[in-house]
Amino acid sequence: MKFFSPFVAAAVVLGLATGNGIAQKAPAAPGQIWQPQKKLKLNTRLPAAPMMGYAVSSQSAYTLAELIDLAEQHNPATRLAWQQAKARAAQLGIARSEWYPTLAALAVANTSRVRVLLNSAFYRQTYGSFSPELHAEYLVLDFGGRSGAIQAAKWNLLAANLSFNDTHRRIIFQVMSAYYRLLNAQGLLQAAEVSLRNAQAVEGDVQDRLNHGLATKPDLLEAQAATAQAEYDLQSATGEEQIAHGNLATVLELPPDTDFQVQPIGALELPAQLAGTVKAETQRALKQRPDLEALIAKVKSANAVIRQQRSSYFPTLNFSGNGGLDRQYGAQDQLVPGYASGETWDASLELKWTLFDGGRREHQVAEALAQKAAAQAQIDTLQDDIANQVWTAHTNVETALRQRQAAGALVTSAEQSYEATRDSYNYGVRNILDVIASQKALAQARAEDVTARAQLLLQTANLAFQTGDLIAASPGKTGP
């Protein structure tokens, strides 16, 4: 059977290579959909994923803090980052275990039977032994190999914890962005509803004037066209609001059609001015951004790995020993069997110094140095990016503050112009086209006012995201 086993193995390999296994060929032509000649008998389907969603209230309006808490509890990204941090903590424990000896329990049983030649005759001898033992191994000296591995594991754990925090920073900003965009969509929907009511009121005025012979049919048609346009804009705003609601639900790990309410924009306090200078914000970002801190921890880990790899140039001193009992049995033809038992032990010290390994250690050190240089380059790049991101975010907040002030003044002016134009039309001084134009200007002003308020909130959140302020004061969590 052993003789044929190589041929069997060769036949299996040949069968896989010729297509009898799972080997596949490339598509035959670039313009045709690839179809396998034989269906693979592999279950490549993913396991059934749990249904997304959890219980939420459809009556109470969720605040931004409550929405963030829901996302942090249920978003899979936090669970992923949490498990990765726990894996790094386990790796630190593995590295620390190298400081302790290894103990193993052994039980060796052996029996043999032979024939020996004595005085021109063969005699059968039977021998058996049973030895329970304890085996100990300990690395006495390694010139920094273990300490380097432990330090690398510590810095990797710190980097994983900081990455965990950065995951929360990003999820918080995702929730805030989706929330403010929903508020913007809701505000535009409300503005569109008001615009439709205004258009319907103007149409009613024109119809009344036409009934009394004070308006013309073209005036009514213009008013009806304005009402139809307002209805179209309302339907568009309704769809945008539904999409924004679904986007926020998705960030919260809820089905897009989940029914829940959020705190309206009117209940939020808008920032009146920037709290600090761009220089102070940049310095704060460089000190507290978790993604930058994680890269710094990776550089520290690379330094520890370099020390660990360089320790391989020095000898290692190892201790090993065994201790236990040995019980033996022996028997020979025509003789009485014998039994014996006693303590056994041995101990040894091994000094090992690798003199030549084909350049492996040199390449390991070179790899560690390259990884350190790469991490340092990432730090330099990210620092430049952070400075630009904070500058852009700061400028956007300043712009949003000015736009908010201008939008408020624009709404006041447009409302006064609309009311004056409508009154003038009722007195016969202005025509219907002037009323429709002022109505459209008012609708546009209201939409810009809503967008300016939402944009101010969004840009303020973006500045806090870029500086790391979103998680600067967050309490520590014991879970994902």
Side-chain angles (χ1 to χ4, degrees):
M1 193 68 180
K2 292 182 179 179
F3 177 76
F4 289 103
S5 59
F7 295 97
V8 174
V12 172
V13 173
L14 182 60
L16 293 175
T18 56
N20 293 328
I22 61 173
Q24 296 294 310
K25 295 181 179 180
Q32 298 177 358
I33 298 176
W34 174 77
Q35 295 291 344
Q37 295 180 354
K38 294 183 178 179
K39 296 293 184 181
L40 296 179
K41 297 181 179 180
L42 297 177
N43 184 11
T44 58
R45 293 178 299 176
L46 294 174
M51 292 298 294
M52 182 176 61
Y54 47 89
V56 292
S57 174
S58 60
Q59 304 299 325
S60 59
Y62 285 94
T63 65
L64 177 59
E66 293 171 335
L67 295 174
I68 291 173
D69 185 61
L70 291 175
E72 289 181 314
Q73 290 182 33
H74 298 94
N75 196 296
T78 59
R79 297 195 298 271
L80 172 61
W82 188 40
Q83 295 299 331
Q84 290 174 338
K86 291 172 66 177
R88 288 296 188 181
Q91 290 176 359
L92 176 57
I94 294 172
R96 283 174 171 168
S97 68
E98 296 295 329
W99 285 113
Y100 300 93
T102 301
L103 294 177
L106 304 177
V108 180
N110 181 49
T111 182
S112 63
R113 175 171 290 174
V114 298
R115 290 184 177 274
V116 298
L117 178 63
L118 293 175
N119 298 325
S120 302
F122 285 97
Y123 295 88
R124 183 177 64 183
Q125 291 183 348
T126 302
Y127 173 81
S129 67
F130 176 72
S131 302
E133 297 178 350
L134 280 178
H135 175 74
E137 291 185 357
Y138 182 61
L139 178 59
V140 180
L141 183 64
D142 63 352
F143 290 94
R146 288 170 295 182
S147 61
I150 291 174
Q151 289 299 318
K154 285 182 178 179
W155 289 115
N156 287 334
L157 174 58
L158 177 59
N161 289 338
L162 291 168
S163 297
F164 173 76
N165 290 348
D166 194 56
T167 299
H168 278 270
R169 180 178 71 100
R170 296 181 182 280
I171 289 177
I172 291 172
F173 182 64
Q174 288 175 4
V175 175
M176 297 178 75
S177 299
Y179 172 63
Y180 293 143
R181 288 189 173 93
L182 175 59
L183 295 184
N184 181 56
Q186 290 177 343
L188 293 177
L189 176 60
Q190 294 171 1
E193 291 172 346
V194 174
S195 297
L196 177 60
R197 289 196 296 268
N198 289 341
Q200 291 171 341
V202 171
E203 182 181 349
D205 292 342
V206 175
Q207 182 66 57
D208 182 66
R209 290 175 61 82
L210 179 63
N211 294 338
H212 292 81
L214 301 176
T216 63
K217 184 66 174 178
D219 290 343
L220 180 61
L221 294 176
E222 290 285 353
Q224 290 174 344
T227 302
Q229 181 64 49
E231 177 66 33
Y232 176 86
D233 294 339
L234 175 61
Q235 297 306 319
S236 177
T238 300
E240 293 296 331
E241 191 274 340
Q242 293 174 349
I243 292 174
H245 183 93
N247 290 338
L248 177 58
T250 302
V251 174
L252 300 177
E253 287 298 304
L254 290 169
D257 59 348
T258 303
D259 183 20
F260 64 93
Q261 306 299 322
V262 299
Q263 191 177 29
I265 194 171
L268 303 180
E269 182 180 355
L270 297 177
Q273 60 183 3
L274 281 167
T277 64
V278 65
K279 182 177 180 180
E281 290 163 349
T282 302
Q283 292 298 324
R284 192 165 67 252
L286 294 175
K287 289 181 179 179
Q288 66 185 21
R289 277 275 292 262
D291 51 346
L292 179 60
E293 292 178 322
L295 288 178
I296 295 174
K298 289 183 178 180
V299 171
K300 300 290 187 181
S301 174
N303 285 329
V305 171
I306 292 172
R307 292 196 299 270
Q308 178 189 5
Q309 297 298 342
R310 284 175 174 169
S311 69
S312 62
Y313 285 98
F314 300 94
T316 59
L317 182 63
N318 291 274
F319 166 82
S320 64
N322 296 282
L325 298 175
D326 188 16
R327 181 173 179 83
Q328 299 182 357
Y329 161 80
Q332 181 174 311
D333 293 347
Q334 301 179 3
L335 296 177
V336 179
Y339 296 88
S341 62
E343 298 179 355
T344 61
W345 61 270
D346 66 84
S348 64
L349 285 174
E350 179 190 55
L351 182 65
K352 183 179 179 180
W353 196 345
T354 302
L355 301 178
F356 179 74
D357 60 359
R360 178 178 181 179
R361 290 171 293 182
E362 288 82 354
H363 292 301
Q364 288 175 334
V365 173
E367 179 187 12
L369 289 171
Q371 290 177 345
K372 175 186 175 181
Q376 186 61 57
Q378 287 181 309
I379 290 176
D380 297 339
T381 301
L382 184 56
Q383 286 178 331
D384 294 338
D385 291 342
I386 287 175
N388 183 58
Q389 290 165 0
V390 173
W391 167 259
T392 302
H394 182 93
T395 303
N396 286 338
V397 173
E398 289 182 331
T399 303
L401 283 169
R402 294 192 297 266
Q403 288 177 334
R404 173 71 185 95
Q405 296 173 355
L410 180 61
V411 169
T412 301
S413 176
E415 287 177 346
Q416 294 174 352
S417 175
Y418 170 72
E419 293 297 335
T421 304
R422 185 177 176 187
D423 291 340
S424 298
Y425 173 74
N426 290 331
Y427 287 115
V429 179
R430 306 291 292 269
N431 58 45
I432 189 59
L433 295 179
D434 295 331
V435 178
I436 294 175
S438 63
Q439 174 198 335
K440 291 181 178 179
L442 177 58
Q444 182 66 25
R446 284 173 175 163
E448 291 177 353
D449 180 62
V450 170
T451 301
R453 285 185 291 167
Q455 192 69 10
L456 177 56
L457 292 171
L458 179 60
Q459 294 303 330
T460 303
N462 181 52
L463 179 58
F465 170 72
Q466 300 298 347
T467 59
D469 290 337
L470 289 182
I471 61 171
S474 298
K477 290 181 174 289
T478 57

Short mmCIF file of all heavy atoms in Angstrom, two decimals, residues 99-124:
data_model
loop_
_atom_site.label_atom_id
_atom_site.label_comp_id
_atom_site.label_asym_id
_atom_site.label_seq_id
_atom_site.Cartn_x
_atom_site.Cartn_y
_atom_site.Cartn_z
N TRP A 99 8.38 35.34 29.54
CA TRP A 99 9.22 35.52 30.74
C TRP A 99 9.09 34.34 31.69
O TRP A 99 9.88 34.22 32.63
CB TRP A 99 8.82 36.79 31.47
CG TRP A 99 9.29 38.05 30.82
CD1 TRP A 99 8.53 39.01 30.24
CD2 TRP A 99 10.64 38.50 30.70
NE1 TRP A 99 9.30 40.03 29.75
CE2 TRP A 99 10.61 39.75 30.03
CE3 TRP A 99 11.88 37.97 31.08
CZ2 TRP A 99 11.77 40.47 29.74
CZ3 TRP A 99 13.02 38.71 30.79
CH2 TRP A 99 12.97 39.93 30.13
N TYR A 100 8.13 33.46 31.51
CA TYR A 100 7.87 32.36 32.43
C TYR A 100 8.34 31.04 31.83
O TYR A 100 8.39 30.88 30.61
CB TYR A 100 6.37 32.28 32.76
CG TYR A 100 5.84 33.53 33.40
CD1 TYR A 100 5.27 34.53 32.62
CD2 TYR A 100 5.92 33.73 34.77
CE1 TYR A 100 4.78 35.69 33.19
CE2 TYR A 100 5.43 34.88 35.36
CZ TYR A 100 4.87 35.86 34.57
OH TYR A 100 4.40 37.00 35.15
N PRO A 101 8.67 30.09 32.70
CA PRO A 101 9.07 28.78 32.17
C PRO A 101 7.87 28.00 31.63
O PRO A 101 6.72 28.29 31.96
CB PRO A 101 9.67 28.08 33.40
CG PRO A 101 9.00 28.73 34.56
CD PRO A 101 8.77 30.16 34.17
N THR A 102 8.18 27.03 30.81
CA THR A 102 7.16 26.14 30.27
C THR A 102 7.25 24.81 30.99
O THR A 102 8.32 24.20 31.07
CB THR A 102 7.36 25.92 28.77
OG1 THR A 102 7.29 27.18 28.10
CG2 THR A 102 6.30 25.00 28.20
N LEU A 103 6.13 24.36 31.55
CA LEU A 103 6.06 23.08 32.24
C LEU A 103 5.11 22.17 31.47
O LEU A 103 4.03 22.59 31.06
CB LEU A 103 5.56 23.25 33.67
CG LEU A 103 6.46 24.03 34.64
CD1 LEU A 103 5.79 24.17 35.99
CD2 LEU A 103 7.81 23.34 34.78
N ALA A 104 5.53 20.93 31.29
CA ALA A 104 4.72 19.95 30.58
C ALA A 104 4.77 18.63 31.32
O ALA A 104 5.83 18.23 31.84
CB ALA A 104 5.19 19.78 29.14
N ALA A 105 3.64 17.97 31.41
CA ALA A 105 3.56 16.64 32.03
C ALA A 105 3.71 15.59 30.93
O ALA A 105 3.02 15.65 29.90
CB ALA A 105 2.24 16.47 32.77
N LEU A 106 4.61 14.64 31.16
CA LEU A 106 4.86 13.58 30.18
C LEU A 106 4.60 12.23 30.84
O LEU A 106 4.88 12.03 32.02
CB LEU A 106 6.30 13.63 29.69
CG LEU A 106 6.78 14.94 29.07
CD1 LEU A 106 8.26 14.84 28.71
CD2 LEU A 106 5.96 15.28 27.84
N ALA A 107 4.09 11.33 30.07
CA ALA A 107 3.92 9.94 30.50
C ALA A 107 4.35 9.06 29.34
O ALA A 107 3.66 9.00 28.31
CB ALA A 107 2.48 9.66 30.92
N VAL A 108 5.46 8.38 29.50
CA VAL A 108 6.03 7.57 28.42
C VAL A 108 5.92 6.10 28.81
O VAL A 108 6.42 5.69 29.87
CB VAL A 108 7.50 7.94 28.16
CG1 VAL A 108 8.07 7.09 27.03
CG2 VAL A 108 7.62 9.42 27.83
N ALA A 109 5.26 5.31 28.00
CA ALA A 109 5.16 3.86 28.20
C ALA A 109 5.81 3.16 27.02
O ALA A 109 5.60 3.56 25.86
CB ALA A 109 3.70 3.43 28.34
N ASN A 110 6.62 2.13 27.31
CA ASN A 110 7.35 1.45 26.25
C ASN A 110 7.42 -0.04 26.56
O ASN A 110 7.58 -0.44 27.73
CB ASN A 110 8.77 2.03 26.15
CG ASN A 110 9.56 1.37 25.04
OD1 ASN A 110 9.08 1.24 23.92
ND2 ASN A 110 10.77 0.90 25.36
N THR A 111 7.28 -0.83 25.54
CA THR A 111 7.43 -2.27 25.69
C THR A 111 8.11 -2.83 24.45
O THR A 111 7.92 -2.32 23.35
CB THR A 111 6.07 -2.97 25.91
OG1 THR A 111 6.29 -4.38 26.10
CG2 THR A 111 5.15 -2.77 24.73
N SER A 112 8.92 -3.87 24.63
CA SER A 112 9.62 -4.50 23.51
C SER A 112 9.87 -5.98 23.82
O SER A 112 9.95 -6.38 24.99
CB SER A 112 10.95 -3.77 23.23
OG SER A 112 11.80 -3.88 24.36
N ARG A 113 10.00 -6.76 22.78
CA ARG A 113 10.30 -8.21 22.92
C ARG A 113 11.31 -8.57 21.85
O ARG A 113 11.08 -8.31 20.66
CB ARG A 113 9.03 -9.04 22.77
CG ARG A 113 9.28 -10.53 22.79
CD ARG A 113 7.98 -11.30 22.86
NE ARG A 113 7.35 -11.13 24.16
CZ ARG A 113 6.13 -11.60 24.47
NH1 ARG A 113 5.46 -12.26 23.54
NH2 ARG A 113 5.63 -11.43 25.66
N VAL A 114 12.41 -9.16 22.26
CA VAL A 114 13.50 -9.55 21.36
C VAL A 114 13.98 -10.96 21.71
O VAL A 114 13.66 -11.50 22.78
CB VAL A 114 14.66 -8.55 21.45
CG1 VAL A 114 14.22 -7.17 21.03
CG2 VAL A 114 15.25 -8.52 22.86
N ARG A 115 14.75 -11.55 20.80
CA ARG A 115 15.41 -12.83 21.05
C ARG A 115 16.91 -12.57 21.05
O ARG A 115 17.43 -11.95 20.11
CB ARG A 115 15.04 -13.87 20.00
CG ARG A 115 13.61 -14.34 20.12
CD ARG A 115 13.29 -15.45 19.12
NE ARG A 115 11.94 -15.95 19.28
CZ ARG A 115 11.59 -16.90 20.13
NH1 ARG A 115 12.51 -17.49 20.90
NH2 ARG A 115 10.34 -17.31 20.22
N VAL A 116 17.56 -13.05 22.07
CA VAL A 116 19.01 -12.86 22.20
C VAL A 116 19.70 -14.22 22.17
O VAL A 116 19.12 -15.26 22.55
CB VAL A 116 19.35 -12.11 23.51
CG1 VAL A 116 18.74 -10.73 23.49
CG2 VAL A 116 18.86 -12.89 24.73
N LEU A 117 20.91 -14.22 21.71
CA LEU A 117 21.69 -15.46 21.59
C LEU A 117 22.58 -15.60 22.83
O LEU A 117 23.43 -14.75 23.09
CB LEU A 117 22.54 -15.41 20.32
CG LEU A 117 23.45 -16.61 20.07
CD1 LEU A 117 22.62 -17.89 19.88
CD2 LEU A 117 24.32 -16.36 18.84
N LEU A 118 22.37 -16.68 23.56
CA LEU A 118 23.20 -17.00 24.73
C LEU A 118 23.56 -18.49 24.68
O LEU A 118 22.68 -19.35 24.64
CB LEU A 118 22.44 -16.69 26.04
CG LEU A 118 22.16 -15.21 26.33
CD1 LEU A 118 21.32 -15.08 27.58
CD2 LEU A 118 23.47 -14.44 26.48
N ASN A 119 24.89 -18.75 24.68
CA ASN A 119 25.35 -20.15 24.71
C ASN A 119 24.72 -20.99 23.60
O ASN A 119 24.17 -22.06 23.84
CB ASN A 119 25.08 -20.79 26.07
CG ASN A 119 25.83 -20.08 27.19
OD1 ASN A 119 26.95 -19.60 26.99
ND2 ASN A 119 25.21 -20.00 28.37
N SER A 120 24.80 -20.52 22.40
CA SER A 120 24.31 -21.24 21.21
C SER A 120 22.82 -21.47 21.21
O SER A 120 22.32 -22.35 20.50
CB SER A 120 25.04 -22.60 21.07
OG SER A 120 26.43 -22.42 20.99
N ALA A 121 22.07 -20.68 21.98
CA ALA A 121 20.61 -20.82 22.01
C ALA A 121 19.98 -19.41 22.06
O ALA A 121 20.58 -18.47 22.59
CB ALA A 121 20.16 -21.66 23.19
N PHE A 122 18.78 -19.32 21.50
CA PHE A 122 18.04 -18.06 21.53
C PHE A 122 17.06 -18.08 22.69
O PHE A 122 16.35 -19.06 22.93
CB PHE A 122 17.27 -17.86 20.20
CG PHE A 122 18.17 -17.45 19.06
CD1 PHE A 122 18.66 -18.39 18.17
CD2 PHE A 122 18.53 -16.11 18.91
CE1 PHE A 122 19.49 -18.00 17.12
CE2 PHE A 122 19.36 -15.74 17.86
CZ PHE A 122 19.84 -16.66 16.97
N TYR A 123 17.04 -16.95 23.39
CA TYR A 123 16.11 -16.79 24.51
C TYR A 123 15.26 -15.53 24.26
O TYR A 123 15.78 -14.49 23.82
CB TYR A 123 16.86 -16.66 25.85
CG TYR A 123 17.61 -17.91 26.22
CD1 TYR A 123 18.93 -18.10 25.78
CD2 TYR A 123 17.00 -18.90 26.99
CE1 TYR A 123 19.61 -19.24 26.11
CE2 TYR A 123 17.70 -20.05 27.33
CZ TYR A 123 18.99 -20.22 26.89
OH TYR A 123 19.68 -21.35 27.21
N ARG A 124 13.99 -15.62 24.59
CA ARG A 124 13.09 -14.49 24.41
C ARG A 124 13.14 -13.60 25.64
O ARG A 124 13.01 -14.07 26.78
CB ARG A 124 11.66 -14.98 24.18
CG ARG A 124 10.65 -13.85 23.92
CD ARG A 124 9.28 -14.40 23.62
NE ARG A 124 8.74 -15.11 24.79
CZ ARG A 124 7.57 -15.74 24.82
NH1 ARG A 124 6.84 -15.78 23.72
NH2 ARG A 124 7.16 -16.36 25.90
#
